[in-house]
Amino acid sequence: MEPPVIKRIEDQTEESPAPVCVLIVGMAGSGKTTLMKQLQESTMHDDDDDEEENMPAYCINLDPACLDVPYSPSIDIRDTVDYKQVMSQHHLGPNGAIMTSLNLYATKFDQVINILEQRADENKLSEFLLVDTPGQIEAFTWSASGAILSESLASTFPTVMVFVVDTVRCASSPNTFMSNMLYACSMYYRTRLPLVICFNKTDVVSHEFCMEWMKDFEAFQDALDNARNEGSNNGGESGFYDSLTRSLSLVLDEFYTEFSKNAVGVSAVTGDGIDDFWKVIKNAANTDFSEYIEDLKHRIEEQDAKRKAMARVQARKLQRDVDNDNSPY
Ligand SMILES: Nc1nc2c(ncn2[C@@H]2O[C@H](COP(=O)(O)OP(=O)(O)OP(=O)(O)O)[C@@H](O)[C@H]2O)c(=O)[nH]1
């Protein structure tokens, strides 16, 4: 049987597009949460009419460990799972507790999808659905539950992944830039979702140098040479480290060619570049998504199997907790 969820993506037309899900990922401290706030605010007002308020972007928080959420989430993992309780009752460190919280949430995520489906059917969902993810990026992207959450969303709505980069940290180290690009590339490799690279914090330093490094191999090599000469990069480490970084930038050539088109600079604090951000998102959602539909159908089947397996494991764990009277719900 054809999964009805894919139907929403396939049946969308220019006159009646499906809401676009924007999955925000990135290294800790890159500015994901601040960007969520800026993006939600930007959807509330038309450029030409500051008075009238539009329906704000629908926000979902999937970070169980964050203390304060500066935007208004309509759905928040913290309402369902108590991260601190998970940590103390399962004797886990911060990363383990995030993973377990995501596991618990993944077993219930079909309920979240049902709510979103219902709202979309009633035209009560805004044009964009913004999803904030944990700073411990690997907890989300490399766990089975993270895959379930992102694939459930991606099989329900056209989904674009935004990889947020701390431009300031890249400016002081070409190797940090390279680490970010490798991570973004591996996330694309894993999720196969349309990818937007968002260079954040442009109020501190312009992202132009990052764009140049993506487009011009020589410019990146020069930056590496300069960093090595200044001794600020890797302290004049072995030639191997240096030549590896150079080779990697050649390996990424194809990635750069494709994704420099979808790269944008913003300041999540001042709102600079946010209009361009939305243009790039719309472009990614319109032009890239058709390629993913066939692939998605296979992944939905895989995801179903994963969800069932995970539900069995969590059910056993919870049963033990209930028996010991310490359920984190
Ligand atoms: N100057 C400047 N600072 C920013 C910008 N965006 C975020 N920050 C700062 O960067 C720090 C981290 O921002 P967050 O939004 O918490 O980053 P995050 O990626 O959600 O962090 P985690 O949840 O730990 O992964 C905060 O001190 C922000 O004020 C920006 O555009 N410009």
Side-chain angles (χ1 to χ4, degrees), residues 250-275:
L250 283 174
V251 170
L252 288 179
D253 187 50
E254 185 79 13
F255 174 78
Y256 287 160
T257 308
E258 185 60 28
F259 292 105
S260 57
K261 289 181 271 180
N262 280 2
V264 64
V266 303
S267 166
V269 167
T270 66
D272 200 39
I274 293 295
D275 290 347

Side-chain angles (χ1 to χ4, degrees), residues 24-36 63 65-66 68 70 132-137 164 166 168 199-205 266-272:
I24 308 229
V25 298
M27 307 282 202
S30 54
K32 298 177 291 294
T33 304
T34 314
L35 183 62
M36 288 281 293
D63 184 353
C66 66
D68 285 318
D132 196 7
T133 61
Q136 282 74 4
I137 187 170
V164 184
D166 185 333
V168 182
F199 293 109
N200 188 28
K201 310 194 183 181
T202 56
D203 56 298
V204 181
V205 58
V266 303
S267 166
V269 167
T270 66
D272 200 39

Side-chain angles (χ1 to χ4, degrees), residues 9 66 134 197 232 248 273 276:
I9 299 167
C66 66
I197 299 177
S232 61
L248 287 174
D276 289 338

Side-chain angles (χ1 to χ4, degrees), residues 77-269:
I77 185 171
R78 297 173 308 165
D79 295 336
T80 308
V81 185
D82 185 334
Y83 161 80
K84 286 210 170 132
Q85 214 181 338
V86 168
M87 198 146 114
S88 65
Q89 286 178 352
H90 294 269
H91 307 288
L92 294 167
N95 275 7
I98 288 176
M99 298 269 268
T100 304
S101 300
L102 288 171
N103 288 346
L104 291 167
Y105 201 57
T107 60
K108 296 176 165 236
F109 203 63
D110 52 338
Q111 292 172 28
V112 171
I113 294 292
N114 286 343
I115 293 171
L116 297 174
E117 287 266 35
Q118 204 178 333
R119 289 192 71 92
D121 288 342
E122 293 166 357
N123 284 328
K124 285 186 184 157
L125 214 54
S126 49
E127 190 181 356
F128 297 102
L129 221 151
L130 304 176
V131 184
D132 196 7
T133 61
Q136 282 74 4
I137 187 170
E138 67 285 351
F140 185 73
T141 52
W142 299 104
S143 62
S145 50
I148 288 172
L149 300 179
S150 59
E151 286 170 12
S152 300
L153 289 164
S155 54
T156 312
F157 301 102
T159 299
V160 176
M161 188 169 60
V162 174
F163 188 86
V164 184
V165 178
D166 185 333
T167 315
V168 182
R169 294 198 59 197
C170 294
S172 59
S173 164
N175 296 104
T176 301
F177 171 80
M178 175 56 73
S179 304
N180 272 281
M181 293 301 106
L182 287 171
Y183 224 123
C185 183
S186 71
M187 292 200 49
Y188 170 73
Y189 206 69
R190 180 167 161 89
T191 63
R192 290 167 273 179
L193 286 168
L195 173 72
V196 165
I197 299 177
C198 176
F199 293 109
N200 188 28
K201 310 194 183 181
T202 56
D203 56 298
V204 181
V205 58
S206 162
H207 68 297
E208 287 308 318
F209 73 95
C210 294
M211 298 302 285
E212 195 187 3
W213 289 353
M214 287 179 95
K215 289 175 184 162
D216 182 352
F217 171 76
E218 300 289 335
F220 183 69
Q221 301 302 315
D222 290 347
L224 276 177
D225 288 341
N226 291 339
R228 191 188 47 201
N229 293 339
E230 284 165 16
S232 61
N233 184 28
N234 55 18
E237 269 187 46
S238 74
F240 173 70
Y241 187 76
D242 235 32
S243 64
L244 177 65
T245 311
R246 283 167 211 277
S247 317
L248 287 174
S249 71
L250 283 174
V251 170
L252 288 179
D253 187 50
E254 185 79 13
F255 174 78
Y256 287 160
T257 308
E258 185 60 28
F259 292 105
S260 57
K261 289 181 271 180
N262 280 2
V264 64
V266 303
S267 166
V269 167

